Amino acid sequence: MVRFKNRYALCELMFPGQPETSVESHQVYQAVKASLLDSHGDFGLAALQSSLSVKYLNIKTNIAVIRGERRHFDMLTSSLVFIRKIGGKDVVFKTLHVGGSIRSCQKFLIGHHRKNLTQIFPSCKTPEERAEGMKSIMAACDTLDWGYSVYKQTPSQPAYSALSMLQEGDGDEEKEEES
Amino acid sequence: MKCTTAAENSNPVPVKPTNFYAEKTQSYVYLKTSLTIEDENSSELNGNQYKFLILQAMKETLGQVGAATPVDLLKVFGDGTCIIRVPSRSTEKIWAALTLYGSTPSGKRCAFRVIHASPFLLGLAFNSRNHRDATS
């Protein structure tokens, strides 16, 4: 008996011109299915339909994990490119990562967010915004317990000292709430 | 192409070649197909209609990506048969798509039948199944 293997595509749903849009996971599923039928026909849909599912959809960051059978996964990734609309909204799919498990996708996602955080953080205009963002980041660190050594040594310290410490460190060592 | 002769070494007299084989995979496969449409005389079909129906069949089963494979319609015979040339990598897919096609866009039932498939065009020139009919 051979194991049934899957692949997971980590996709970012980008809504050009309307950044605050969000969709539901069944809408994503239907859009992927329709695109698969359009680009690879009855054969492509039949090959992937049994294993196709949207395992995870973050409505805040618009990041989805889509599962498909490994053998025909290239058909799925190629049809993702052709999705133009989800529920009447213009959308572009950007495949960030293809992994063999949801866990590996999550690992990649943490690294991806961490990398992007340093780009997003300078865009905070007011000092309140900066502090708020940093606070939420620190809170995420607290719940995640991600092995942040300096923070771990001083768990009794209030959040603002850790905040000032991070700001000195040029904001490079932040963690992200998305995991 | 190479020709093999029976008993090459033992017999110095050149023997008439008996069989042929191709040394490598040919890049194209030629299919002889027939098309029958319900309540219609298929001998009236022209090349454009034929090609359109082949593309419809491919689009239905293989989608737009599959329908992008180059298929050449070489010849349409008067009796509703034709010869098409497909890349040998996608022969099976296109064959399957033709077989699975069931109805024309106008709603009439139709059927493609692949009569003959060969990597050489010359292979379609003669069908040994018709041998008895031709000689008798």
Side-chain angles (χ1 to χ4, degrees):
Chain A
M1 189 70 186
V2 183
R3 202 175 118 102
F4 187 86
K5 293 207 172 181
N6 287 310
R7 280 281 177 272
Y8 298 85
L10 184 73
C11 312
E12 185 182 356
L13 278 65
M14 300 193 293
F15 298 95
Q18 33 188 349
E20 295 296 313
T21 322
S22 73
V23 289
E24 290 174 35
S25 73
H26 68 89
Q27 286 177 316
V28 177
Y29 177 75
Q30 292 298 334
V32 172
K33 222 171 103 175
S35 168
L36 200 55
L37 181 65
D38 189 46
S39 51
H40 288 99
D42 290 347
F43 172 68
L45 185 59
L48 277 154
Q49 196 176 22
S50 59
S51 59
L52 181 68
S53 74
V54 179
K55 297 299 274 186
Y56 170 82
L57 177 69
N58 192 325
I59 54 166
K60 289 269 175 61
T61 54
N62 283 326
I63 280 176
V65 172
I66 299 167
R67 185 187 71 177
E69 192 195 338
R70 189 184 68 167
R71 206 171 133 201
H72 303 287
F73 198 73
D74 51 344
M75 289 205 279
L76 181 61
T77 46
S78 63
S79 67
L80 285 179
V81 176
F82 297 116
I83 298 174
R84 300 289 302 277
K85 270 194 188 331
I86 292 180
K89 294 158 191 161
D90 287 342
V91 74
V92 176
F93 269 68
K94 183 177 167 190
T95 307
L96 303 171
H97 182 70
V98 171
S101 60
I102 296 180
R103 206 180 129 80
S104 82
C105 285
Q106 282 176 334
K107 270 185 182 172
F108 174 84
L109 192 58
I110 291 167
H112 174 75
H113 280 309
R114 193 181 297 165
K115 208 168 69 187
N116 282 5
L117 214 55
T118 50
Q119 297 166 7
I120 293 166
F121 192 68
S123 70
C124 297
K125 292 283 178 338
T126 59
E128 288 83 24
E129 249 179 32
R130 281 181 84 92
E132 194 64 36
M134 192 57 85
K135 239 181 220 171
S136 66
I137 289 162
M138 294 314 294
C141 292
D142 203 15
T143 52
L144 272 176
D145 190 26
W146 199 254
Y148 183 50
S149 55
V150 183
Y151 184 61
K152 256 186 160 177
Q153 284 163 9
T154 57
S156 58
Q157 277 186 334
Y160 62 83
S161 65
L163 171 67
S164 58
M165 188 175 64
L166 261 181
Q167 278 171 335
E168 284 165 14
D170 221 17
D172 268 337
E173 297 134 348
E174 302 120 351
K175 306 292 176 290
E176 169 64 305
E177 61 253 52
E178 294 304 329
S179 63
Chain B
M1 300 267 285
K2 256 189 183 178
C3 63
T4 59
T5 54
E8 267 176 51
N9 294 328
S10 58
N11 194 355
V13 182
V15 185
K16 195 180 163 190
T18 52
N19 55 30
F20 293 89
Y21 64 92
E23 279 189 324
K24 54 187 177 185
T25 317
Q26 302 298 304
S27 49
Y28 290 104
V29 166
Y30 300 88
L31 302 175
K32 190 175 187 182
T33 62
S34 84
L35 172 62
T36 45
I37 304 176
E38 191 184 27
D39 303 329
E40 262 191 45
N41 189 4
S42 54
S43 61
E44 289 165 8
L45 280 168
N46 63 26
N48 287 340
Q49 293 164 322
Y50 225 116
K51 185 72 191 284
F52 174 72
L53 287 172
I54 289 169
L55 275 179
Q56 284 292 317
M58 284 165 67
K59 208 177 257 185
E60 193 179 292
T61 313
L62 308 174
Q64 288 191 22
V65 175
T69 48
V71 172
D72 303 315
L73 187 67
L74 300 184
K75 175 93 177 164
V76 180
F77 298 107
D79 57 345
T81 61
C82 74
I83 291 175
I84 57 177
R85 185 181 72 164
V86 298
S88 59
R89 290 179 72 184
S90 47
T91 308
E92 293 89 353
K93 278 186 173 182
I94 291 168
W95 193 333
L98 291 178
T99 309
L100 288 170
Y101 194 56
S103 63
T104 60
S106 56
K108 282 182 178 168
R109 296 199 301 158
C110 70
F112 278 103
R113 291 190 183 85
V114 178
I115 300 165
H116 210 135
S118 168
F120 302 105
L121 190 53
L122 201 60
L124 303 184
F126 188 72
N127 189 353
S128 64
R129 294 182 184 195
N130 302 330
H131 190 249
R132 190 172 293 171
D133 301 337
T135 50
S136 62

